[in-house]
Amino acid sequence: MSFCPLDYRYGCQEFKHIWSELGRHERQLEVERALIWAHMQLGRVTQADYDIVASIANPTSVTKERVSEIEAETRHDIMALTKAMAEAAGDAGWCIHLGATSNDIVDTAVALQLRDSIVMLREQLCLLIGVCADVAERERDTVMLGRTHGQAAVPITFGLKAAVWLDELRRQLIRLDEATPRIAVGKFLGAVGTGAAQGVNARELQRLILTHLGLGVPLATTQVVGRDRYIEYVSWLANIAATCEKILQEIRNLQRSEIQEAGEGFDVKKQVGSSTMAHKKNPIKSENASGLARIVRSMIIPTYENALLWHERDLANSSSERFTLSHGSALCEDVIAKTRDVLTNMWVDAERCLENIKAQRGLVMAEKVMIDLVDRGIPRDEAHEILREASFTAVANKEELIDVCSRTPAVSTAFSAEELEAMFDPANHIGVSGELVDECVALARAAIQ
């Protein structure tokens, strides 16, 4: 019987395998093998002994089940692993775990899990960036209401809205690439970080192991990798999860019945929105991913707490990190994938966007008229007061703002009827939106090449 929703409901199997019990086991075997390889490079282990260790350093020869049997007796996971490896290696087993402490294996294996997770997270992010760029490009000139404080403000384009998302996603990619060398780092200098058990070539041994595994080499550590590295990783997970939820929240809001400018795709032939309200088309995937994004962000606090270990280390972090790193990573990948799916199938109703602007009875063009009045020589503060009064009159009388302006002397004497009409065309007050979209799209597409 499955207990955790990650087992049966969320995340892709390939990604979850990285953080599964078997995924952890595979990587710990790989680290133990790399240790013997490094000893061989330094002349302490023969090629023959290394070849035997390399041949059994796999989950078929050293099964997770056998390690679990031994751990039930020893109550120590890494001792159980090394004993199981020694059994399989026979006479060559003498060198397994030579000079290492348990956390050399554990933290370096976690570094491999982080490295592999980052590869998949980056792939998903690049796919999301590509889809978001498509949306920004497609809706480049779709004029709609811009909203501040939940109220109509001035016109914007859907393309610019998507470009804001897109540029933020590009920054998340830059952050990930910059942080990866600091995150995917192992350690191999023993019980308190002195390298005493590794001998005179301790630093070279560590360098050989970690570079052989494709990991970064730290300068100074205790028994553990500095948890500032994990803080940076989980902070990135939280950051990209927040970006995704920001996108999804906007789509959910635009899908509200009274707005209906954009929304999540819906299979009208098969999909059910509500068990009782047959007309419903709920943004279920956006809501699902938004909820998961909140769980990802919740991993920040325990990750900070896990950095506060006693002296050269204690074990208070270990149980916590089995949740924070695995669940945070897998759920974040799921959030990114679902955000991409939502954007891929999102609909945008350009006609409805214009209808909602029209429903504001010209009020959203007050800024445009004010700016043009200034260009005709009226001081800015005075122009603002003219439009403020005209706007409140239009609201009070449920009139079109253009009609109020046409009988306001300061406005009617400054502009012809044709000029005033042009001022109230929302397409004439979107500034450099198209230019911004084009540049955001170009930069984003270049980043994911």
Side-chain angles (χ1 to χ4, degrees):
M1 181 179 69
S2 296
F3 172 72
C4 177
L6 269 172
D7 294 334
Y8 59 85
R9 194 171 184 90
Y10 304 120
C12 77
Q13 293 304 316
E14 183 183 0
F15 193 94
K16 288 188 287 187
H17 178 77
I18 295 172
W19 294 96
S20 68
E21 190 174 23
L22 181 57
R24 179 185 177 92
H25 177 60
E26 290 168 344
R27 287 164 180 80
Q28 289 180 347
L29 286 168
E30 180 66 9
V31 174
E32 292 281 8
R33 181 204 61 78
L35 169 61
I36 309 309
W37 175 87
H39 277 307
M40 180 187 70
Q41 300 303 307
L42 295 174
R44 197 169 182 184
V45 172
T46 66
Q47 177 77 51
D49 283 345
Y50 167 70
D51 288 343
I52 293 172
V53 172
S55 71
I56 60 92
N58 61 76
T60 300
S61 301
V62 180
T63 67
K64 186 67 190 73
E65 291 73 21
R66 178 54 184 151
V67 173
S68 296
E69 288 174 1
I70 299 173
E71 185 180 354
E73 300 172 356
T74 63
R75 307 293 176 88
H76 194 287
D77 55 350
I78 299 302
M79 275 301 296
L81 175 70
T82 59
K83 282 179 176 290
M85 290 184 72
E87 284 180 354
D91 290 342
W94 71 271
C95 58
I96 290 171
H97 204 64
L98 181 61
T101 191
S102 297
N103 231 66
D104 290 334
I105 308 303
V106 171
D107 275 10
T108 304
V110 168
L112 293 176
Q113 290 175 301
L114 291 171
R115 180 201 65 189
D116 296 344
S117 294
I118 288 170
V119 169
M120 292 191 67
L121 287 164
R122 192 182 192 282
E123 288 173 356
Q124 283 291 348
L125 177 55
C126 286
L127 291 173
L128 174 57
I129 288 172
V131 171
C132 193
D134 291 341
V135 171
E137 208 164 44
R138 186 185 73 227
E139 307 298 338
R140 179 187 187 276
D141 302 313
T142 302
V143 181
M144 65 184 298
L145 274 178
R147 296 174 173 89
T148 60
H149 304 277
Q151 302 175 56
V154 293
I156 190 176
T157 64
F158 201 102
L160 180 56
K161 186 184 290 286
V164 171
W165 304 338
L166 180 61
D167 206 42
E168 185 168 326
L169 290 169
R170 184 176 66 88
R171 292 196 298 276
Q172 299 292 14
L173 179 61
I174 292 169
R175 288 187 184 101
L176 183 62
D177 287 345
E178 288 177 347
T180 296
R182 293 189 294 270
I183 295 168
V185 172
K187 59 86 56 180
F188 241 99
L189 289 181
V192 293
T194 64
Q198 286 76 18
V200 293
N201 292 319
R203 294 186 69 180
E204 178 62 8
L205 181 73
Q206 174 176 256
R207 187 193 68 78
L208 285 169
I209 295 167
L210 298 182
T211 55
H212 181 62
L213 291 170
L215 299 173
V217 182
L219 178 56
T221 65
T222 61
Q223 191 181 116
V224 300
V225 166
R227 262 42 187 175
D228 63 295
R229 302 181 189 279
Y230 294 5
I231 287 173
E232 187 167 15
Y233 174 70
V234 176
S235 294
W236 184 86
L237 297 180
N239 203 342
I240 184 62
T243 297
C244 288
E245 187 176 355
K246 169 183 172 178
I247 295 169
L248 299 171
Q249 177 177 267
E250 182 68 9
I251 294 169
R252 290 165 59 201
N253 267 316
L254 294 176
Q255 192 173 333
R256 291 162 66 102
S257 299
E258 64 272 26
I259 297 178
Q260 285 292 300
E261 292 172 351
E264 189 176 304
F266 191 91
D267 184 352
V268 295
K269 291 185 178 180
K270 300 177 182 178
Q271 193 171 345
V272 175
S274 167
S275 63
T276 185
M277 295 169 284
H279 66 285
K280 296 295 291 297
K281 294 181 181 178
N282 298 332
I284 188 67
K285 187 161 287 187
S286 298
E287 292 171 339
N288 178 296
S290 292
L292 297 181
R294 296 168 188 177
I295 300 299
V296 175
R297 291 196 296 276
S298 75
M299 299 297 178
I300 287 181
I301 297 302
T303 300
Y304 273 99
E305 299 297 330
N306 290 339
L308 304 173
L309 303 181
W310 290 5
H311 304 299
E312 276 57 61
R313 85 153 303 186
D314 62 54
L315 204 59
N317 63 299
S318 179
S319 56
S320 177
E321 286 171 353
R322 289 175 187 258
F323 289 92
T324 56
L325 298 178
S326 62
H327 288 49
S329 298
L331 290 175
C332 186
E333 191 270 347
D334 197 32
V335 168
I336 297 171
K338 284 173 176 170
T339 303
R340 173 169 58 91
D341 188 61
V342 169
L343 283 181
T344 299
N345 298 295
M346 178 183 64
W347 55 267
V348 177
D349 188 337
E351 289 186 10
R352 177 69 176 187
C353 289
L354 291 177
E355 288 172 9
N356 286 343
I357 293 177
K358 187 176 180 180
Q360 297 301 313
R361 298 195 300 275
L363 292 170
V364 296
M365 304 309 297
E367 180 187 67
K368 169 66 172 170
V369 180
M370 181 192 72
I371 295 298
D372 285 0
L373 277 176
V374 173
D375 290 340
R376 294 297 170 92
I378 296 178
R380 193 264 180 197
D381 286 350
E382 184 178 335
H384 183 279
E385 183 59 23
I386 291 168
L387 268 299
R388 190 183 73 86
E389 289 183 5
S391 297
F392 290 166
T393 297
V395 170
N397 298 333
K398 293 184 171 56
E399 290 185 88
E400 293 285 335
L401 180 59
I402 191 172
D403 293 336
V404 178
C405 286
S406 66
R407 64 173 187 264
T408 301
V411 179
S412 60
T413 58
F415 308 109
S416 68
E418 291 76 15
E419 288 174 326
L420 200 57
E421 192 72 34
M423 279 182 228
F424 279 84
D425 181 350
N428 290 335
H429 196 52
I430 55 173
V432 294
S433 296
E435 180 183 322
L436 294 172
V437 170
D438 293 342
E439 187 165 350
C440 285
V441 168
L443 287 172
R445 293 203 191 285
I448 60 175
Q449 292 303 316

